[in-house]
Amino acid sequence: FEIVIRMSDYNKMGANDIESGEKKEETKESPKKWGVSNWGAIGWTETAIKVLAWGFGIAAPYVYTADTTITAVGYGQAGVATFLAVGLVGAIFDRIRLKDIIAMIFVILNNFAHWSLVGGMFIKPVPDYLVYPFAGLMLVGDMVKVIAVLTGKLSVPGGTKKLLLTLTLIFVSGYICIIALQPFKLASSNP
């Protein structure tokens, strides 16, 4: 198992090409190795914001609430959260393709936080003090990603700018929907 540190020109060269500075075609003899990319300040900012959100999502199934009635709006909110979590499962396969150690650890923990929130939402109504910070911080993190994509500071090897922007905006819309449904979920569960 060999770890290769990739430089800031990660998007232009493969992990095996750092020493020579030339782009080489990968062959069966030279498979891409797992490494660590330099995502830059904006990438680490997005990561830090989302890491802050994880604790709120992970806590969701474990926090006691007296109200155990899940309303139709609550199930709708849980459905949106499930849709986002399923999308993150797909992201695991992309990280395997990229062979980036940090990105792989991030996406696994991000999945855990999202699936914890989903589990909590299907068990009982999740309180404001968990839903708003989780969805709000994830939303802010994805808005940082949108800015990074639009300014050309973030790209993914093998992916187009349009695809990355579209997928990120789907998540932005999902988090906005979760936040927007929260007051109605609470109002409908407390007549």
Side-chain angles (χ1 to χ4, degrees):
F1 191 106
E2 180 180 334
I3 297 176
V4 177
I5 304 295
R6 294 184 203 138
M7 302 304 176
S8 61
D9 54 356
Y10 164 73
N11 294 322
K12 298 176 191 156
M13 299 188 297
N16 298 327
D17 305 322
I18 296 303
E19 289 180 26
S20 69
E22 297 176 8
K23 175 70 178 161
K24 297 177 187 172
E25 292 298 318
E26 291 195 19
T27 64
K28 290 181 182 176
E29 295 81 26
S30 64
K32 189 174 181 182
K33 293 182 172 61
W34 283 87
V36 178
S37 300
N38 179 357
W39 292 103
I42 201 157
W44 288 111
T45 301
E46 174 203 352
T47 300
I49 292 167
K50 290 182 176 181
V51 166
L52 291 173
W54 292 348
F56 298 101
I58 292 168
Y62 307 106
V63 171
Y64 173 78
T65 57
D67 186 2
T68 58
T69 305
I70 303 172
T71 65
V73 174
Y75 281 118
Q77 190 181 39
V80 172
T82 301
F83 176 78
L84 297 178
V86 168
L88 287 174
V89 171
I92 290 173
F93 296 101
D94 183 59
R95 298 323 182 271
I96 291 170
R97 179 185 66 81
L98 293 175
K99 296 193 177 201
D100 184 298
I101 295 168
I102 300 296
M104 179 57 87
I105 292 168
F106 175 85
V107 79
I108 289 170
L109 293 173
N110 203 15
N111 263 278
F112 181 65
H114 278 76
W115 284 107
S116 294
L117 180 72
V118 167
M121 287 180 159
F122 279 111
I123 295 170
K124 63 189 175 318
V126 177
D128 286 0
Y129 63 85
L130 296 177
V131 173
Y132 287 132
F134 177 81
L137 287 166
M138 295 302 291
L139 172 62
V140 170
D142 275 341
M143 290 307 297
V144 169
K145 184 186 287 183
V146 167
I147 292 167
V149 171
L150 291 175
T151 60
K153 295 183 186 214
L154 177 67
S155 62
V156 176
T160 65
K161 182 177 182 177
K162 183 177 180 179
L163 176 63
L164 184 56
L165 192 58
T166 300
L167 292 173
T168 304
L169 288 174
I170 289 170
F171 276 83
V172 165
S173 300
Y175 297 127
I176 289 171
C177 187
I178 289 170
I179 291 167
L181 289 174
Q182 185 70 9
F184 298 105
K185 180 191 82 169
L186 295 176
S188 61
S189 65
N190 297 319

